[in-house]
Structure formats: structure tokens, C-alpha cells
Amino acid sequence: MQSKFRIAAYGVVWDSQGRILLTHGRGRGKNAPTWLLPGGRVEHGENPRDSVVRTCAESTGLTVEVAQARDVISTVSHDVHTNAVVFDVNIVGGSLAPSSGVSTKASWVDPVQVETANTTEIAAAVLGRIVPQSLPGREKIEQRPRPRPPSKAKRGRLQRGQRFGAYGFTTDSAGRVLLARISEGYPGAGCWHLPGGGVDFGEQPVDALVREIAEETGQMAQIEGLMDVTSFRHRRAVGPEGYPLDWHGVRAIYRAHVEDPSEARVVETAGGSTSESRWWDSGDVAGLKVSAALGDALRIAKDMA
């Protein structure tokens, strides 16, 4: 069976009585999860914030607005790896009602009520019942698709690609910022970029980020927290495939810190997406040619200051 990746977005909301809003599904099989956070799949090109508003309305009848991104959790089921963005949301309208689907119903639930019940890993993590872990011993499977060049019959419509990545706004005790430069042949070539990259099959985003920072810069980083989640769509991105793809990316941007910095260097195999890496004084970053991801991180950091 071929392993697949998907991106999803879920909402967390509590009422004045300390109850959490969950949906209850019949699921499949004897041990299938039955309690879920409201939410669902992020469609191609859809911002996860828009997705959680849409899917919460579909599954609960309620209109919500997004407060902030609280976590990103990866799960694996039936050889499908899901990168799930979990948002805190507020209810701004609508009324609680069964979803239009035949297998789910939304309700306010006391956490004690589901302490021993079947829940999804994402709901269990939000309720504090588990700490998500990467799956050991899985063969590395990258998210970036390597499709064959389109046939003559399909050249009129672009193939799609969707990818979830984890990136670090990484600093040291002197306030320097750790950056990686995008290689030629990749979208954004020559731009200074946040170290990071795609989450491999069975890997948690924070683990992926530690790995990517080490590969791209030779530094061992500690992840300090999620800054935000951003989304972009490039309708004709030309990368290593050599022909354009309709590309949708979702990025989790974290704060990271290197306690014992050394000279930055690219460790990963030559020919990858990073041509060089280095530490920059924070005052010099504004004068660089920067990627969209780094631009997002600078804006988010300014807003959070």
C-alpha cells in the first residue's frame, strides 16, 4: 500500500462549564476512534484557518473565528500521515446541530466523560491524555511528490502538489539569526530562508525541525514554541521536476534556540535545497533577499513583540 500525506485543521473551544466541543462518530471497526475535535481536511489551496471555519460549520452547525494556532500534531492511520493544525477558536454564531454527515454528531463534553473512551490522537493530545511521538523505524518517505512529466493529453492542466513543512526562526544568546540559502533549481533560489523542511512519514513536526536544522546548518536546536502557521499557493512553481506544478504549501513556524552555536554549515547531501547557511546579526537581516517564509516569520515576531 502506498503511503500518503494529508493536511487537516481542527478547532478547540471550551464553554463556561469547562466542557469541550467534540464530535462523536461511529468510526470503523471495533476499536475505531469515536470522539473527535471538530474539523477536517484542508483542501488544495485552502488556508488552514479558512478550512477550520468551514469544517467546524459542517460538523457542528456553529460559526467560529480563529483565535490562534496552538499546536501541530502528526498522526498515522492506514498508511496515511496527517499533519493536523490545531487552532483555538471562538464561537460567533450558529446553533449546535448534528452534522450533515450520517456518522457524526456534535456535543459539549466534560473531559472526565471521555477519559476512558476512544478518541483520536489529536483529541487525546489536546485533553492531555497523551504526548504525540514519532513512529520509530519507519522508512523515510518525503512529502514532495515526484510525479512523471505530464502526458500530451494532460499538458493542458497542471498537476498538483501539497506539502506541510516545519521551519524555525532560530536565534542564539547573542541575538543572531540562523538562516539557510535556497539552492538554484528550487523556487525562491538565492533567497535566505528559515531552516526547516518537510515532515517525513510518521514524524512529529518538532522532530522534523530539529532534524532539518541539523542537516541544513549543523546546529543542534531546542524548539521553544509554535509562532504561527502560514499558507501559500504557487500555481506554476518550477522546481527539480523541471516543469510547473500547482503547488500548495502549509508552514508551521516555530521559535528555536541554539545554546552552543558553531559555524553554520550544510551537512545534508550535496544537491539538496540548501546551498549555504550562516548566522546573521539581527540588524542585517532586513537588507537580505529573503524568502516568503522568512518574511512571514519577521512579521509574526514583530507582532508578538
Side-chain angles (χ1 to χ4, degrees), residues 148-203:
R148 296 179 180 178
S151 65
K152 291 182 179 180
K154 295 182 178 180
R155 285 176 185 170
R157 59 182 191 272
L158 294 179
Q159 294 188 57
R160 290 179 167 183
Q162 190 182 54
R163 184 173 186 254
F164 184 90
Y167 297 85
F169 187 66
T170 308
T171 57
D172 67 2
S173 298
R176 297 183 301 171
V177 181
L178 181 63
L179 300 179
R181 201 169 198 176
I182 301 174
S183 300
E184 293 299 322
Y186 287 82
C191 290
W192 288 97
H193 188 45
L194 296 173
V199 178
D200 291 338
F201 189 94
E203 190 175 37

Side-chain angles (χ1 to χ4, degrees), residues 80-138:
V80 177
H81 175 116
T82 298
N83 293 295
V85 185
V86 183
F87 292 99
D88 287 320
V89 301
N90 299 315
I91 297 172
V92 295
S95 58
L96 194 61
S99 74
S100 57
V102 297
S103 62
T104 61
K105 182 178 180 179
S107 57
W108 292 102
V109 179
D110 187 323
V112 175
Q113 180 183 342
V114 292
E115 279 186 351
T116 59
N118 288 332
T119 62
T120 63
E121 287 184 54
I122 298 164
V126 169
L127 293 168
R129 287 171 43 187
I130 65 167
V131 176
Q133 301 288 331
S134 291
L135 296 180
R138 292 306 300 251

Side-chain angles (χ1 to χ4, degrees), residues 61-284:
L62 298 171
T63 303
V64 302
E65 63 178 7
V66 177
Q68 62 186 11
R70 64 179 288 155
D71 204 355
V72 182
I73 301 168
S74 294
T75 66
V76 174
S77 178
H78 303 292
D79 276 340
V80 177
H81 175 116
T82 298
N83 293 295
V85 185
V86 183
F87 292 99
D88 287 320
V89 301
N90 299 315
I91 297 172
V92 295
S95 58
L96 194 61
S99 74
S100 57
V102 297
S103 62
T104 61
K105 182 178 180 179
S107 57
W108 292 102
V109 179
D110 187 323
V112 175
Q113 180 183 342
V114 292
E115 279 186 351
T116 59
N118 288 332
T119 62
T120 63
E121 287 184 54
I122 298 164
V126 169
L127 293 168
R129 287 171 43 187
I130 65 167
V131 176
Q133 301 288 331
S134 291
L135 296 180
R138 292 306 300 251
E139 179 183 358
K140 181 177 180 179
I141 303 173
E142 296 181 347
Q143 289 187 63
R144 187 173 182 89
R146 301 291 182 181
R148 296 179 180 178
S151 65
K152 291 182 179 180
K154 295 182 178 180
R155 285 176 185 170
R157 59 182 191 272
L158 294 179
Q159 294 188 57
R160 290 179 167 183
Q162 190 182 54
R163 184 173 186 254
F164 184 90
Y167 297 85
F169 187 66
T170 308
T171 57
D172 67 2
S173 298
R176 297 183 301 171
V177 181
L178 181 63
L179 300 179
R181 201 169 198 176
I182 301 174
S183 300
E184 293 299 322
Y186 287 82
C191 290
W192 288 97
H193 188 45
L194 296 173
V199 178
D200 291 338
F201 189 94
E203 190 175 37
Q204 291 299 327
V206 291
D207 296 332
L209 180 54
V210 170
R211 172 181 56 77
E212 288 280 353
I213 291 174
E215 291 175 354
E216 294 179 351
T217 72
Q219 309 298 300
M220 293 304 298
Q222 296 81 44
I223 310 305
E224 296 185 329
L226 181 66
M227 295 175 67
D228 206 350
V229 176
T230 64
S231 176
F232 72 95
R233 185 177 184 182
H234 194 322
R235 295 179 184 273
R236 295 188 65 85
V238 179
E241 297 82 11
Y243 54 88
L245 292 171
D246 182 354
W247 194 254
H248 176 215
V250 176
R251 305 186 187 100
I253 301 177
Y254 293 86
R255 276 198 178 277
H257 183 77
V258 176
E259 185 67 30
D260 186 21
S262 59
E263 182 179 356
R265 60 187 179 88
V266 180
V267 177
E268 65 183 356
T269 305
S273 61
T274 301
S275 61
E276 61 177 307
S277 58
R278 61 173 288 186
W279 289 100
W280 289 88
D281 290 334
S282 59
D284 294 335

Side-chain angles (χ1 to χ4, degrees), residues 6 8 17 20 24 39 147 149 204 234 239 280 300:
R6 67 192 286 268
Q17 300 177 50
I20 188 171
H24 185 260
Q204 291 299 327
H234 194 322
W280 289 88
I300 295 164

